[in-house]
């Protein structure tokens, strides 16, 4: 799972905590275990619940599926929102999560808004 805490992304992989201002800057927190290095040459995949508020102010549950390929120096990010029987797809070759989510927001039906509390933090 990847979370945004105090304007920083965080995750734990195989018992090692990683943090960074962006996906491609994930590095071990503190000293980390011996030999721990910044994340690279890996693929991370996760789903997360993400409410969508319709124009009638009703919150509907949706799922955001993310696929992140960290290959230095490039980062590829694929994001798909599953909502109301439709898939809204966005990609970003810079690994910019906020930009990818904004592209999905543009595709939603008029009046629908993603409730993304993490958007300001990424």
């Amino acid at each position: 799972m990847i979370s945004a805490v105090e304007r920083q992304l965080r995750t734990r992989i195989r018992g090692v905590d990683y943090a960074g201002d962006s996906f491609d800057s994930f590095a071990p927190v503190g000293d980390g275990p011996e030999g721990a290095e910044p994340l690279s040459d890996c693929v991370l995949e996760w789903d997360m619940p993400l409410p969508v508020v319709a124009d009638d102010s009703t919150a509907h549950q949706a799922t955001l599926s993310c696929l992140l390929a960290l290959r230095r120096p490039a980062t590829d990010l694929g994001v798909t929102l599953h909502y109301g029987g439709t898939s809204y797809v966005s990609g970003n070759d810079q690994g910019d999560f906020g930009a990818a989510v904004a592209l999905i927001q543009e595709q939603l039906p008029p009046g629908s808004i993603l409730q993304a509390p993490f958007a300001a933090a990424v």
Side-chain angles (χ1 to χ4, degrees):
M1 177 173 169
I2 295 178
S3 62
V5 178
E6 297 179 7
R7 305 188 66 80
Q8 192 172 62
L9 297 168
R10 296 178 136 333
T11 191
R12 174 174 266 225
I13 299 171
R14 295 184 180 158
V16 178
D17 291 318
Y18 292 89
D21 294 333
S22 64
F23 290 121
D24 59 359
S25 68
F26 271 136
V29 174
D31 293 332
E34 187 174 329
E37 296 181 12
L39 286 180
S40 66
D41 297 323
C42 65
V43 175
L44 304 176
E45 186 173 13
W46 69 98
D47 291 331
M48 59 191 295
L50 184 65
V52 176
V53 178
D55 57 0
D56 65 357
S57 298
T58 304
H60 300 274
Q61 195 56 48
T63 300
L64 192 67
S65 297
C66 306
L67 178 66
L68 174 68
L70 291 171
R71 295 182 186 97
R72 309 240 183 234
T75 298
D76 293 317
L77 175 65
V79 179
T80 303
L81 180 74
H82 305 280
Y83 166 64
T86 303
S87 294
Y88 301 92
V89 179
S90 174
N92 188 291
D93 63 359
Q94 301 301 312
D96 186 334
F97 189 74
V101 171
L103 289 172
I104 287 176
Q105 174 64 58
E106 292 173 5
Q107 298 173 44
L108 291 176
S112 296
I113 300 170
L114 289 170
Q115 268 192 317
F118 50 79
V122 293

